[in-house]
């Protein structure tokens, strides 16, 4: 188990599918969730059930302290499969001020922001499918850290209506500053407002993500429940997407 996670923890020291979630609640207080003890076996659905239960147990205590006004700000350091990161964000929401830290790859290999950043930040854009009137379900391909192709989605949802959320050059290192995070959150909120205007309230949004860690958390944190009551998140593994978990948003 990894304890006392700080900005100097090297990303490469964690297993690829390890789940590590550290919340710094103050200068001297932190909560650490380490789910490495959960065996990952292919597409076993019980894996995600166990992951959700463990995340619930860890975050529910934090939420109680937020409600009691014992926490005013939290810092999140998280490494996990994307569905787990989105679920973590959806549980925390916008109840309190949050800083979500982005793990950097080599040569930085730490939680520090790199000394040089893209200027200006990459533009985050989205495109909605041509559809008139109410829409029950919508699928979104997030091509931020990599590319998600429409045929990958059609393979598991043949009749999907697909929206696209992207940057010009998807990359694992695209999040090199807080400005990139803010740009993503702004576009994500605008996207939700526009789908509500065009299609009304969805029953379900399917998420097909290629997302950096911090943006995955922010995606879950910034969902508008009145627009998207449920998100179904798909996990990419072994060359295709698989059903993983759902996030039910509280109004």
């Amino acid at each position: 188990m990894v304890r006392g996670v700080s900005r100097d923890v090297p990303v490469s020291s964690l297993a690829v599918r390890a789940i590590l979630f550290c919340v710094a609640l103050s200068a001297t207080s932190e909560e650490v969730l380490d789910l490495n003890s959960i065996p990952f076996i292919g597409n076993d659905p019980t894996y995600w059930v166990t992951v959700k239960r463990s995340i619930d147990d860890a975050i529910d205590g934090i939420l109680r302290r937020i409600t009691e006004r014992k926490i005013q700000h939290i810092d999140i350091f998280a490494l996990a499969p994307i569905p787990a990161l989105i679920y973590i964000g959806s549980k925390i929401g916008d109840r309190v001020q949050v800083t979500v830290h982005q793990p950097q790859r080599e040569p930085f290999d730490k939680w520090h922001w790199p000394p040089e950043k893209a200027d200006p930040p990459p533009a985050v854009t989205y495109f909605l499918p041509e559809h008139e009137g109410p829409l029950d379900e919508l699928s979104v391909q997030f091509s931020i850290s990599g590319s998600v192709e429409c045929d990958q989605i059609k393979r598991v949802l043949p009749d999907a209506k697909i929206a696209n959320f992207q940057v010009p050059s998807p990359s694992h290192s695209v999040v090199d500053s807080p400005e990139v995070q803010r740009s993503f959150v702004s576009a994500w909120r605008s996207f939700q407002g526009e789908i509500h205007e065009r299609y009304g309230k969805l029953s379900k949004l399917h998420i097909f993500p290629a997302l950096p860690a911090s943006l995955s958390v922010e995606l879950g944190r910034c969902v508008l429940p009145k627009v998207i009551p449920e998100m179904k998140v798909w996990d990419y593994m072994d060359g295709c997407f698989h059903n993983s978990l759902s996030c039910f948003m509280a109004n």
Side-chain angles (χ1 to χ4, degrees):
M1 180 175 289
V2 182
R3 291 287 183 184
V5 177
S6 71
R7 297 188 186 191
D8 296 320
V9 175
V11 175
S12 58
S13 67
L14 301 173
V16 174
R17 293 203 65 95
I19 296 181
L20 174 66
F21 169 57
C22 175
V23 179
L25 305 176
S26 69
T28 58
S29 175
E30 68 181 25
E31 295 284 344
V32 178
L33 170 63
D34 182 359
L35 302 181
N36 289 315
S37 61
I38 302 175
F40 179 79
I41 305 174
N43 298 315
D44 182 0
T46 61
Y47 170 77
W48 292 109
V49 172
T50 307
V51 166
K52 287 182 69 173
R53 185 183 303 118
S54 298
I55 292 172
D56 289 344
D57 291 343
I59 295 183
D60 285 349
I62 296 173
L63 296 180
R64 284 193 294 272
R65 296 173 67 182
I66 291 173
T67 301
E68 296 167 357
R69 300 184 182 276
K70 295 179 179 179
I71 298 174
Q72 287 75 44
H73 185 278
I74 60 178
D75 290 84
I76 298 176
F77 305 81
L79 286 172
I82 295 174
L85 293 173
I86 293 174
Y87 186 68
I88 287 169
S90 73
K91 287 284 294 183
I92 293 175
D94 59 359
R95 299 172 177 84
V96 68
Q97 289 187 344
V98 174
T99 299
V100 185
H101 298 264
Q102 172 64 33
Q104 301 296 322
R105 295 195 169 203
E106 294 180 352
F108 312 108
D109 206 29
K110 298 179 186 296
W111 293 97
H112 294 285
W113 291 116
E116 297 182 2
K117 61 182 180 180
D119 188 22
V124 182
T125 58
Y126 59 83
F127 303 93
L128 298 176
E130 294 295 332
H131 179 82
E132 297 295 334
L135 191 61
D136 188 48
E137 297 187 8
L138 179 67
S139 298
V140 189
Q141 53 185 129
F142 284 88
S143 297
I144 308 294
S145 61
S147 296
V148 176
E149 305 298 334
C150 285
D151 62 349
Q152 295 173 319
I153 298 174
K154 292 288 189 178
R155 200 174 303 165
V156 293
L157 294 176
D159 299 324
K161 300 290 186 182
I162 302 173
N164 180 271
F165 213 93
Q166 63 185 24
V167 293
S169 299
S171 166
H172 286 287
S173 59
V174 69
V175 182
D176 59 3
S177 69
E179 288 77 19
V180 178
Q181 294 175 324
R182 287 192 287 268
S183 177
F184 175 84
V185 169
S186 177
W188 174 227
R189 285 176 169 153
S190 296
F191 171 85
Q192 294 176 80
E194 191 164 343
I195 63 174
H196 186 257
E197 182 179 341
R198 287 198 187 188
Y199 312 128
K201 184 176 180 179
L202 303 176
S203 67
K204 185 183 299 181
L205 188 73
H206 295 269
I207 303 293
F208 293 86
L211 283 167
S214 65
L215 299 191
S216 300
V217 176
E218 292 287 29
L219 185 156
R221 274 200 342 107
C222 299
V223 172
L224 302 177
K226 293 183 179 179
V227 179
I228 305 169
E230 179 186 355
M231 289 193 303
K232 187 180 184 69
V233 187
W234 296 74
D235 185 35
Y236 189 77
M237 186 182 61
D238 297 332
C240 60
F241 279 102
H242 301 270
N243 184 19
S244 62
L245 53 78
S246 292
C247 308
F248 294 91
M249 315 308 300
N251 289 307

